[in-house]
Amino acid sequence: METKTILIKNAIIIGDEIKKGSLITDNDKIAEIDYSNSKLGSNDADEVIDAEGKVLSPGLVNTHTHLSMSLMRGLADDMLLDTWLNDHIWPVEANLQGEHCQAGAMLACAEMIKSGTTCFNDMYFFMDHVADAVDKAGMRGTLSHGMIDLGDGDKRKAEFKETQRIIDKCHNTADGRIKVAFGPHSPYTCSMELLEGVRKQADKQGLRIHIHVSETKKEVEDVMEANGKRPFEYLDEIGILGPDVLAAHAVWLDEGEMDIIKERGVKLSHNPASNMKLASGVSPVSKLLENGVCMSLGTDGAASNNNLDLLEEMKITALLQKVTTLDPTVMPAKSVFDMATIGGAAALGLEDEIGTIEVGKKADIILVDMKSSSLTPLRNPVSHLVYSANGADVDTVICNGEMLMKNRELLTIDEAEVISMAEEASEDLLSKL
């Protein structure tokens, strides 16, 4: 394969230090970084970007999504989670087909690219259709079929069969950008047999586990009533927890569960906007970070957020922890930025490949344009990304060494066509109710 290089010069690089410099990619990796702006000053690269006035950051990592739920954006706002799920979301999902999921995933990919996300962790249905969308978009993603059996043995067999189909068809595809994980939905929708089967198969196949845990107070009460233990205690007792587990939400935790999470090396995905909108509660993120737990950021689905803008999620994360603890010193900008980058990479087992700007790592890079009234004067780039910027400030996105967006123009996705396709898919889905 012919070598492809991209030279980005005059950027403010958020790397080992925050300094103006140049960077060159070689195929899918970062090849060189130069802070003198002399060594990499030539125009020999296949593509040259003058990033004057722009901040160069690792691509953002969204560790909990339901991409295809973008079709349900604004469908059911301002209601309790149980009502939202039982009366609105699940009835719509009962009519989902692969074409719907592909359209919703394409729409979500467009939104994520435009707001600086290059890698994500998704759980939903018809995941081979989602994988096709991700491949075309050029993004990096870990996909899992949402497994729910509600104690039904036949349903459980069907869930394992579908998960294995997705693993066989999609794992390590798209030049390695697409991985597959096991996706047991939650302790209250999955039987002990399903959960234990997931652990057995994950160990056997060397795959990760993505699960919702302790999102609401009611969930904790239901799990305690059914099993006599809190969710993380129950999962630990049946041997599910380990460093390959990424648990989304983790809102309602006691001290003992936090100790279990740390001891087992469980990774967590914090989803503040979704948790706030559904009034689920506030995860003790600052305490978890102090205890050395791997914390990352997720948006959840667009039906409960209602967007996939991880830059916006960073600000919400910091402010929510400050106001909840009544301590303005908790969750400084750098800690939140790390959650959205290297924390997310570590949560997906990809910390050796992405999450920081280093030579030898994958070329997952974004450029954020700081030449705007809302980002001026530029004093602290990390602070600006967390507290001042939003997705509309992202100018250029590179994933795996391929340009996905340049000067705010999507290059792998026809945005107008995808918007039209998603609108039609959403209307078709709702017409079946």
Side-chain angles (χ1 to χ4, degrees):
M1 184 176 70
E2 187 177 348
T3 298
K4 179 180 180 180
T5 56
I6 302 172
L7 169 64
I8 304 171
K9 57 184 184 180
N10 302 318
I12 300 169
I13 299 173
I14 302 179
D16 290 337
E17 51 186 323
I18 300 175
K19 191 175 179 182
K20 195 169 185 177
S22 297
L23 176 151
I24 192 162
T25 71
D26 188 342
N27 290 331
D28 62 341
K29 290 186 170 61
I30 297 171
E32 295 181 69
I33 302 171
D34 175 34
Y35 290 109
S36 71
N37 270 319
S38 58
K39 182 180 176 185
L40 301 181
S42 72
N43 290 348
D44 295 336
D46 298 313
E47 180 108 22
V48 179
I49 299 172
D50 187 348
E52 185 69 44
K54 296 179 176 66
V55 165
L56 187 155
S57 162
L60 305 181
V61 183
N62 188 340
T63 56
H64 184 62
T65 62
H66 308 291
L67 296 189
S68 302
M69 291 185 82
S70 59
L71 298 183
M72 303 170 208
R73 194 191 321 263
L75 171 65
D77 295 326
D78 311 319
M79 56 187 66
L80 295 171
L81 176 61
D82 276 2
T83 305
W84 179 79
L85 275 174
N86 291 302
D87 298 345
H88 298 273
I89 300 302
W90 284 344
V92 172
E93 290 181 341
N95 296 305
L96 276 171
Q97 298 297 324
E99 294 74 18
H100 298 127
C101 287
Q102 183 163 10
M106 283 298 292
L107 180 67
C109 286
E111 182 183 356
M112 287 193 295
I113 293 169
K114 294 197 76 172
S115 52
T117 292
T118 54
C119 179
F120 63 89
N121 183 43
D122 194 56
M123 179 196 292
Y124 212 52
F125 312 112
F126 298 99
M127 297 308 288
D128 50 341
H129 288 75
V130 173
D132 187 59
V134 176
D135 185 14
K136 290 174 180 174
M139 297 185 72
R140 192 181 305 282
T142 298
L143 312 181
S144 55
H145 167 70
M147 306 172 75
I148 298 173
D149 70 343
L150 299 173
D152 183 320
D154 290 338
K155 183 78 166 81
R156 181 161 57 253
K157 290 178 183 176
E159 294 295 64
F160 275 104
K161 183 178 179 181
E162 175 63 7
T163 293
Q164 194 60 52
R165 184 180 75 85
I166 299 301
I167 292 168
D168 294 341
K169 185 175 181 181
C170 303
H171 186 55
N172 268 332
T173 58
D175 298 321
R177 289 183 285 107
I178 295 175
K179 310 289 186 187
V180 178
F182 281 89
H185 177 266
S186 65
Y188 66 95
T189 56
C190 296
S191 66
M192 182 187 299
E193 291 81 5
L194 187 148
L195 293 168
E196 290 176 334
V198 163
R199 168 44 68 198
K200 181 179 179 180
Q201 286 300 315
D203 288 343
K204 181 179 179 181
Q205 301 188 56
L207 299 177
R208 305 185 72 81
I209 299 171
H210 179 197
I211 184 172
H212 303 81
V213 187
S214 298
E215 182 175 1
T216 66
K217 187 176 182 181
K218 184 180 186 305
E219 174 194 334
V220 174
E221 292 169 350
D222 289 347
V223 172
M224 288 185 70
E225 183 178 344
N227 305 289
K229 293 183 180 295
R230 296 176 65 87
F232 278 102
E233 293 173 335
Y234 165 63
L235 293 173
D236 190 42
E237 182 179 60
I238 62 176
I240 302 303
L241 301 181
D244 57 354
V245 173
L246 175 57
H249 300 297
V251 172
W252 293 89
L253 307 175
D254 67 8
E255 294 289 343
E257 286 183 296
M258 285 191 269
D259 289 341
I260 288 171
I261 290 166
K262 180 179 180 180
E263 288 168 10
R264 301 301 181 209
V266 175
K267 316 300 193 294
L268 299 181
S269 176
H270 179 46
N271 296 245
S274 177
N275 293 157
M276 291 167 69
K277 184 164 180 277
L278 292 167
S280 298
V282 182
S283 177
V285 173
S286 56
K287 185 178 289 188
L288 288 160
L289 280 172
E290 288 172 9
N291 290 340
V293 173
C294 175
M295 297 297 304
S296 61
L297 277 186
T299 56
D300 213 346
S304 66
N305 187 305
N306 291 12
N307 66 42
L308 305 176
D309 187 341
L310 211 59
L311 283 167
E312 180 182 278
E313 208 78 23
M314 285 199 286
K315 181 174 183 176
I316 292 171
T317 296
L319 300 191
L320 180 59
Q321 291 298 305
K322 292 175 190 296
V323 74
T324 302
T325 60
L326 298 180
D327 183 353
T329 68
V330 302
M331 297 305 297
K334 180 63 164 58
S335 294
V336 183
F337 178 76
D338 286 349
M339 285 176 67
T341 52
I342 188 60
L348 298 178
L350 297 173
E351 65 271 29
D352 292 336
E353 296 186 46
I354 62 171
T356 55
I357 300 299
E358 296 180 58
V359 171
K361 281 201 168 184
K362 294 288 188 181
D364 288 15
I365 297 164
I366 63 172
L367 294 176
V368 182
D369 191 353
M370 294 291 170
K371 293 179 181 176
S372 71
S373 57
S374 60
L375 295 172
T376 301
L378 179 57
R379 295 287 179 267
N380 185 330
V382 172
S383 172
H384 274 30
L385 290 180
V386 173
Y387 293 122
S388 304
N390 60 51
D393 296 308
V394 177
D395 176 84
T396 298
V397 174
I398 298 168
C399 181
N400 214 46
E402 295 291 335
M403 197 90 68
L404 308 188
M405 181 173 77
K406 185 177 181 182
N407 299 327
R408 293 293 298 166
E409 180 185 356
L410 292 174
L411 303 178
T412 56
I413 294 173
D414 184 326
E415 188 172 10
E417 180 181 330
V418 165
I419 288 172
S420 176
M421 181 175 65
E423 191 69 65
E424 289 178 11
S426 180
E427 289 179 7
D428 179 67
L429 195 56
L430 296 179
S431 73
K432 300 180 186 300
L433 289 175

